[in-house]
Amino acid sequence: RVHVILVDQTDLSNGWATPVPHNVIEITAAAPTAESMLGNTDDWLRLVLTHEYTHIVHLSRKRGWIGGLRRVFGRQPLLYPNLFQPLWEIEGIATHAETAYTGEGRIAAGDFRMVVGHAAATERFEPIDRANGGLVDWPSGNTPYFYGGHFHRFLADRYGASAIRRLADETAGRLPYLGSRAYKAVFGK
């Protein structure tokens, strides 16, 4: 079960999701403006719900001995290894899913593709620490979505859509902060 809360307290279109202590999604009822990076959709609610529900499915995964510990100790945050992944991975999976499942979304948007395309053309990619967020300069808080979304789209295109699910399952059975070996297990590199 997932509790979905619609709020109408601001004109800022946004949403968030968490699996602890319960599965909750909160969505602001305000649709994005046309110039927003979120504006590539005919159905804002469907897009944001897809993005946030992907967070619930991804972050609440459990596998192996961690699943056993969760059955014993319940919904303890440390027993949700995917919560401790880098922001570019958490947001990247959800940004990839919003486009893959709706046919719209940010990865399909020209302005969104332009940022990563320009970085590729000029060979000036952001380093991984900056791609994880915390930037005050352009592209600031959008960086994990840009880089993570396109990286996960690359993985899905190259290794098949099921590779994203296998990656989420693999990281769900590892200790927090030690999920990077999951890439080798799933992709062989």
Side-chain angles (χ1 to χ4, degrees):
R1 292 188 176 162
V2 180
H3 299 279
V4 178
I5 303 165
L6 290 174
V7 296
D8 189 17
Q9 299 171 325
T10 179
D11 289 336
L12 178 67
S13 52
N14 206 347
W16 59 266
T18 183
V20 290
H22 305 285
N23 293 329
V24 175
I25 295 173
E26 183 178 292
I27 298 172
T28 304
T33 60
E35 65 272 0
S36 168
M37 287 285 196
L38 305 173
N40 185 42
T41 182
D42 291 333
D43 189 347
W44 153 249
L45 192 56
R46 180 173 171 235
L47 184 80
V48 71
L49 195 54
T50 301
H51 182 99
E52 301 305 338
Y53 186 70
T54 300
H55 282 318
I56 295 295
V57 171
H58 170 230
L59 299 176
S60 63
R61 276 187 145 45
K62 63 184 183 288
R63 192 174 143 260
W65 62 275
I66 289 179
L69 287 174
R70 202 182 303 170
R71 280 190 294 279
V72 172
F73 295 107
R75 301 180 69 87
Q76 300 298 317
L78 286 175
L79 300 178
Y80 288 77
N82 288 347
L83 276 174
F84 299 93
Q85 292 180 326
L87 193 56
W88 62 264
E89 188 163 1
I90 292 170
E91 293 301 346
I93 286 174
T95 304
H96 163 69
E98 77 186 35
T99 299
Y101 293 116
T102 68
E104 296 178 332
R106 288 175 271 196
I107 292 178
D111 53 356
F112 203 79
R113 284 192 322 264
M114 177 199 66
V115 172
V116 176
H118 180 16
T122 60
E123 296 181 8
R124 295 183 63 199
F125 285 106
E126 295 291 345
I128 197 158
D129 63 327
R130 291 176 58 103
N132 201 44
L135 292 177
V136 293
D137 294 333
W138 171 258
S140 64
N142 289 310
T143 309
Y145 300 86
F146 289 138
Y147 284 86
H150 282 286
F151 180 65
H152 285 86
R153 179 158 193 182
F154 162 78
L155 292 175
D157 288 349
R158 183 117 195 232
Y159 299 98
S162 65
I164 304 300
R165 182 189 44 79
R166 290 193 318 269
L167 178 62
D169 286 342
E170 189 65 33
T171 56
R174 298 179 179 269
L175 287 171
Y177 302 111
L178 299 177
S180 61
R181 291 189 183 139
Y183 282 89
K184 184 139 181 113
V186 174
F187 304 111
K189 49 178 124 178

